[in-house]
């Protein structure tokens, strides 16, 4: 499956590198072999979905999510990063179930099987939707975790519903103002970053095109040879007007499809949609000034990390030394849970054991 760091902070850097490294095995396979594999993976997906997929129609939108474990008073909710889906937490969910947790992983607006809303909803509207999901399951409060964009959404949820947050897990997102990520960059670094924002034409077509069928997406997406989880690609596919879509429209929805949009978002957020500007309007410094619950900050500091937030995260820890744990990981420059899943899980379980 596609399970890399697809956060928009690094999306183009990763996709280009990823596509250069993978083996495009399907071009060498016969159509009949590929179709049989497609059917097997489709069946695996549908079996898993039947046991774990849930939908809730809220006042704002129809929200899709995955659920693991029986109902309990210990609940962990995960909010994935940009261009990821609820399957992002699949490798870790059962470990948390064994630790006594009911686990939810949420497809937020435009991601996974939650469609882009017709209304211009922002992160705080989604916080209302997440509260509605919790109400539907009679969940009083939960540990809220999020990666990258998901971390900023977790902070927005804490803004709106602090009493419903038992603890917070923020992985490279949500603990530092978004614009401040660029403050330490010099001019050359900024120019290089903005040049990289828009992917090459072949990558753009691969991810953001319109397809005639799910099978066309399945056969055109380059997969790692022998990937046991590639059936999860179906958890990204939406349908519109008889066509199949992977990420069609999502870059534009986040206002990050090219350097012009990215600069506009950073410098003139009042000109963009409420949703797109949400990530700029989240103010972690203000949000966590009166923090009252435990927080784990997972901070990727690996080689090539252009966004060094160690000082800001350490400042937050110094404000609440008894509540905030700040863990540094040099195995990744952004996505720790993908690059070193064992270390991520160990840190997460150790934190949950303290609650």
């Amino acid at each position: 499956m596609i399970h890399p760091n697809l956060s928009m902070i690094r999306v183009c850097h990763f996709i280009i590198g990823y596509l250069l490294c993978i083996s495009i095995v399907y071009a060498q396979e016969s159509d009949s072999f590929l179709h049989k594999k497609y059917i097997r993976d489709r069946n695996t997906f549908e079996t898993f979905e039947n046991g774990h997929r849930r939908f809730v129609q809220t006042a704002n939108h129809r929200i899709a999510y995955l659920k693991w474990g029986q109902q309990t008073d210990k609940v962990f909710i995960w909010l994935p990063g940009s261009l990821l889906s609820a399957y992002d937490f699949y490798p870790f969910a059962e470990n948390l179930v064994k630790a006594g947790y009911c686990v939810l992983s949420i497809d937020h607006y435009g991601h996974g099987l939650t469609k882009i809303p017709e209304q211009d909803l922002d992160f705080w509207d989604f916080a209302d939707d997440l509260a509605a999901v919790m109400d539907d399951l009679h969940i009083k409060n939960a540990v809220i975790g999020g990666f990258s964009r998901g971390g900023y959404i977790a902070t927005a949820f804490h803004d709106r519903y602090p009493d419903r947050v038992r603890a917070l897990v923020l992985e490279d997102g949500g603990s530092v103002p978004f614009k401040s990520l660029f403050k330490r960059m010099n001019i050359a670094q900024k120019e290089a970053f903005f040049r990289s924002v828009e992917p090459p034409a072949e990558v753009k077509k691969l991810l953001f095109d319109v397809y005639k069928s799910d099978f066309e997406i399945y056969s055109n997406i380059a997969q790692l040879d022998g990937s046991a989880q590639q059936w999860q690609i179906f958890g990204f596919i939406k349908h519109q007007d008889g066509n199949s879509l992977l990420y069609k429209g999502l870059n534009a929805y986040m206002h990050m499809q090219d350097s012009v949009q990215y600069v506009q978002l950073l410098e003139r957020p009042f000109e963009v949609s409420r949703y797109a500007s949400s990530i700029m309007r989240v103010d972690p410094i203000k949000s966590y000034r009166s923090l009252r619950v435990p927080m784990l900050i997972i901070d990727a500091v690996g080689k090539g990390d252009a966004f060094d937030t160690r000082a800001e995260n350490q400042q937050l820890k110094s404000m609440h030394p008894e509540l905030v744990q700040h863990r540094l990981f040099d195995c990744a420059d952004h996505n720790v849970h993908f690059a070193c899943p064992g270390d991520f899980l160990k840190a997460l379980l150790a934190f949950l054991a303290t609650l």
Side-chain angles (χ1 to χ4, degrees):
M1 64 166 292
I2 296 179
H3 194 321
N5 166 19
L6 288 174
S7 164
M8 285 308 299
I9 296 176
R10 306 288 197 291
V11 63
C12 296
H13 287 295
F14 181 86
I15 293 174
I16 294 169
Y18 184 72
L19 292 181
L20 289 174
C21 294
I22 61 178
S23 39
I24 307 178
V25 296
Y26 295 140
Q28 302 171 356
E29 294 176 338
S30 67
D31 288 344
S32 60
F33 177 88
L34 181 57
H35 194 267
K36 289 178 181 177
K37 194 172 189 305
Y38 167 83
I39 295 298
R40 288 197 303 271
D41 281 350
R42 169 65 79 176
N43 289 338
T44 299
F45 171 75
E46 291 177 353
T47 298
F48 184 84
E49 287 278 304
N50 287 338
H52 297 271
R53 176 65 66 180
R54 305 287 187 275
F55 294 90
V56 172
Q57 180 64 53
T58 74
N60 293 321
H61 199 47
R62 189 171 187 253
I63 304 299
Y65 67 94
L66 294 174
K67 177 177 180 287
W68 290 264
Q70 300 301 314
Q71 205 73 16
T72 174
D73 59 351
K74 294 168 61 176
V75 180
F76 181 88
I77 296 175
W78 183 251
L79 301 168
S82 299
L83 301 184
L84 296 174
S85 79
Y87 279 96
D88 185 48
F89 206 71
Y90 174 89
F92 314 103
E94 291 296 345
N95 294 94
L96 268 65
V97 171
K98 291 176 182 177
Y101 279 84
C102 172
V103 178
L104 310 180
S105 188
I106 315 293
D107 286 329
H108 45 84
Y109 298 155
H111 291 72
L113 299 186
T114 296
K115 294 182 178 180
I116 295 174
E118 294 182 4
Q119 302 171 263
D120 185 13
L121 304 173
D122 65 11
F123 285 7
W124 292 269
D125 292 315
F126 181 80
D128 294 337
D129 292 339
L130 180 54
V133 171
M134 294 171 68
D135 289 341
D136 186 66
L137 294 171
H138 307 290
I139 297 170
K140 181 180 179 181
N141 57 44
V143 179
I144 307 295
F147 163 60
S148 195
R149 175 174 294 262
Y152 287 94
I153 296 173
T155 296
F157 183 81
H158 176 271
D159 287 346
R160 187 83 100 188
Y161 299 98
D163 293 340
R164 305 199 71 169
V165 179
R166 184 183 175 197
L168 287 152
V169 178
L170 303 178
E171 180 189 353
D172 257 23
S175 61
V176 174
F178 186 73
K179 191 171 182 177
S180 73
L181 297 175
F182 298 84
K183 285 184 177 178
R184 285 192 174 84
M185 283 186 176
N186 58 39
I187 294 176
Q189 287 174 322
K190 287 182 179 179
E191 289 178 350
F193 175 82
F194 289 126
R195 283 196 303 269
S196 73
V197 168
E198 188 170 3
E202 62 272 19
V203 176
K204 187 183 295 185
K205 180 176 176 60
L206 184 72
L207 298 178
F208 300 101
D209 210 352
V210 176
Y211 292 89
K212 295 179 181 178
S213 66
D214 292 3
F215 178 70
E216 190 175 0
I217 290 179
Y218 183 90
S219 59
N220 286 347
I221 290 293
Q223 300 288 348
L224 284 171
D225 190 7
S227 169
Q229 310 303 334
Q230 70 184 53
W231 55 270
Q232 295 173 19
I233 187 64
F234 297 110
F236 292 80
I237 298 175
K238 304 181 188 68
H239 302 96
Q240 180 179 317
D241 301 326
N243 295 312
S244 297
L245 315 176
L246 196 58
Y247 298 125
K248 176 71 174 177
L250 188 51
N251 265 3
Y253 179 59
M254 295 187 291
H255 210 78
M256 293 179 172
Q257 67 178 346
D258 55 36
S259 59
V260 174
Q261 284 198 345
Y262 218 115
V263 171
Q264 184 184 28
L265 173 65
L266 289 171
E267 302 299 333
R268 302 184 303 280
F270 52 87
E271 295 179 356
V272 306
S273 68
R274 290 175 65 243
Y275 176 79
S277 69
S278 296
I279 201 164
M280 296 291 293
R281 291 185 284 120
V282 172
D283 186 352
I285 296 172
K286 180 180 177 181
S287 296
Y288 297 128
R289 188 172 292 135
S290 57
L291 181 69
R292 294 186 177 85
V293 298
M295 174 189 290
L296 172 63
I297 299 175
I298 295 175
D299 196 352
V301 295
K303 184 178 179 181
D305 184 8
F307 302 103
D308 187 348
T309 59
R310 280 175 283 188
E312 291 88 345
N313 284 327
Q314 194 58 36
Q315 182 180 6
L316 179 54
K317 176 176 172 58
S318 67
M319 291 169 57
H320 306 285
E322 75 289 355
L323 292 175
V324 176
Q325 295 184 32
H326 180 204
R327 296 289 308 276
L328 303 176
F329 294 84
D330 62 7
C331 58
D333 67 351
H334 188 46
N335 191 332
V336 173
H337 71 274
F338 175 72
C340 42
D343 293 336
F344 169 82
L345 180 61
K346 182 178 179 181
L348 177 57
L349 289 176
F351 173 73
L352 295 177
T354 67
L355 304 180

